[in-house]
Amino acid sequence: MAICDHDERMLSTMQDEPLSLATILRHAMTSKADAEVATWTGSEVRRMTFGEMGRQAGRLANALRELGVEQTDRVGTFMWNNNEHFVAYNAIPAMGSVLHALNIRLFPEQLTFVANHAEDKVVIVDGSLLPLFGPLLPGLKSVQHVIVANGDASALEAPAGVSVHSYDDLLAAQSEDFDFPVVDERMAAAMCYTSGTTGDPKGVAYSHRSSVLHSMQVCTSDGMGLSERDNTLVIVPMFHANAWGLPYAALMCGASLLMPDRFLQPEPILAMMQAEQPTFAAAVPTIWTGVLGQLAAHPQDITHLRSVIVGGSAVPPAMMKAFDDKHGVPILHAWGMTETSPLGSVAHPPSRVPQDEVWDYRISQGQFAASVQARLLDDDGNVMPHDGESLGELEVKGPWIASSYYSADGVAVEPEKFHHGWLRTGDVGKITANGYLTLVDRSKDVIKSGGEWISSVDLENAVMSHSDVVEAAVIGVPDDAWDERPLVAVVLHEGASADAEALRASLATTFAKWQLPERWVFISEVPKTSVGKFDKKVIRAQYADGQLDVVTLAGPTRP
Ligand code: AMP
């Protein structure tokens, strides 16, 4: 898109006030002071109003200053979703420093890498995570202070040069008054690392500007529609893509937050829902599959949920329909990445389409936000039309999309992911003329059989709609005749008896004959990544090592 030339420009008459998380925090502390953040303890919640949260943020900011934290210094958090994490989320960027929420599910070597790469100066740790954090500490080169929240600081043995503090004691000694500065809106406010599929994790540094604009998008009706009327169950971790932007959006609109802390199993999630009646919830599909199973065994009214936003992986349509039909709760499908803050597209169906087309829109990855531009590129770099059919790799750009990965030494990290101002997503899909995205796969996952595409996502969804199936993951495996063929790894319900032949037969009405998979393997659980997605790398490696007991049916005769 051409940018206007500025030779004869006319500047606006508007104030050039920076977009700032400090401004939003001040708004939340006053205008939204009675909104609440509540953390589940296993049997009840610990509550804190936004007013109190703001006072705690002031105390934390004073404490961090006293420990030597300056503007742009990184402060790590190693925490569950809870009240104290929310305080840190707000205090650290608002004081001009950079919040780095460490992903507690990464492997120890990756955690050490990211904390050292970001040069975290202080880390705030939940007491229940000390057994995980303690062994890492000697390897964290830049960390000078560890603050232990919700636990016993004396339980942590500190190496030389590192001081350990109790969160409660530290804050109790501080004033709640802190003059949160408004910094340049382009400065980093928060960081998340994406573990990616290859190489070391890569850091995305969100700015104040991108965070404020993204929060506005979350609050729009055609975003997540978050508002002061919501009580929001934030299951998506605060260390994964900023919990999809919900904490800062809540700050902006005054939505209350319900935090699950470490209670992430279906049973406590449902107990929490019964007690607190959230109106909105956010989590990856695997969480909702578990909740659905638990609801089948122990029915419970969950119609207090006006909507549930699900993304991070494709949502199986069968699951969406089950929530609709059995529980009266609409699942809202969305697409995004750590690199996109993460909200890119949301699948609200247009209001003017016929009823029988609504599901086509709902199961898509959704319509791009107004400020997010998208294009598809084929293998030769040609831009493909948005005709709902042409496939290509998705590239996006916009004010809350990363333009590079964080580099401590000025050497560009994976510059090939950034393509003339566009972010290469590695996702392959199609886009309709009215801007709805449907992903068929990650670029490396796409199965090309005899020169034609097979969508592993479609196959997974179809297999998962079989009543005997709990989960299914499809990978492409090498094949002498067709280059590549799909292999389906299936988890059956306990006592279920469907075999490969029966499962394949159930797909016959939705797929062309040549697309039907002949390789099947029955496993007890689909391996998952640190953020709960299907880890197809592991299945691929198991297949390559000959570890899988594959049932092979007769294959297609021609594509
Ligand atoms: P992450 O940065 O870990 O959140 O991963 C981002 C990636 O997750 C995207 O590039 C997609 O491959 C995948 N993803 C996110 N949302 C969806 C979705 N709704 N459907 C399919 N894949 C998704």
Side-chain angles (χ1 to χ4, degrees), residues 194 240-241 310-315 333-339 365 425 427 439 442 531 533:
T194 168
H240 188 203
V310 190
S313 295
V315 183
H333 192 190
W335 169 88
M337 304 171 71
T338 303
E339 293 89 333
Q365 269 71 17
T425 66
D427 289 327
L439 290 185
R442 298 280 300 166
V531 291
K533 299 180 188 196

Side-chain angles (χ1 to χ4, degrees), residues 80-203:
W80 301 106
N81 290 12
N82 56 32
N83 293 0
E84 293 69 25
H85 206 171
F86 188 51
V87 170
Y89 242 64
N90 297 319
I92 296 163
M95 66 186 281
S97 305
V98 182
L99 168 84
H100 174 200
L102 288 146
N103 180 345
I104 63 169
R105 303 233 170 85
L106 293 180
F107 299 124
E109 297 74 31
Q110 290 179 314
L111 272 166
T112 306
F113 171 85
V114 299
N116 287 339
H117 191 259
E119 297 174 89
D120 294 338
K121 196 167 186 177
V122 176
V123 182
I124 308 175
V125 188
D126 265 325
S128 60
L129 292 170
L130 286 179
L132 214 57
F133 181 77
L136 301 174
L137 189 52
L140 306 187
K141 298 193 195 104
S142 51
V143 172
Q144 297 171 11
H145 298 277
V146 177
I147 302 173
V148 180
N150 303 310
D152 178 10
S154 67
L156 183 65
E157 211 174 299
V162 178
S163 318
V164 179
H165 312 264
S166 146
Y167 177 92
D168 290 337
D169 294 351
L170 204 62
L171 268 63
Q174 297 294 335
S175 155
E176 65 189 45
D177 297 324
F178 188 92
D179 190 15
F180 291 108
V182 170
V183 297
D184 183 329
E185 65 175 15
R186 294 162 301 176
M187 298 302 284
M191 296 184 83
C192 281
Y193 278 74
T194 168
S195 49
T197 45
T198 51
D200 289 324
K202 288 160 277 286

Side-chain angles (χ1 to χ4, degrees), residues 214 217-226 232-236 243-246 279-288 305-313 315 319-320 323 329-336 342-348 362 365-366:
H214 182 264
Q217 181 62 24
V218 170
C219 295
T220 59
S221 310
D222 288 333
M224 299 191 205
L226 204 70
T232 314
L233 174 56
V234 188
I235 301 175
V236 54
W244 298 351
L246 286 163
T279 59
F280 189 64
V284 293
T286 44
I287 296 276
W288 300 112
L305 287 167
R306 68 168 170 83
S307 177
V308 167
I309 191 151
V310 190
S313 295
V315 183
M319 189 184 87
M320 288 179 83
F323 268 94
V329 173
I331 287 204
L332 184 57
H333 192 190
W335 169 88
L343 208 55
S345 58
V346 184
H348 292 285
R362 287 193 56 194
Q365 269 71 17

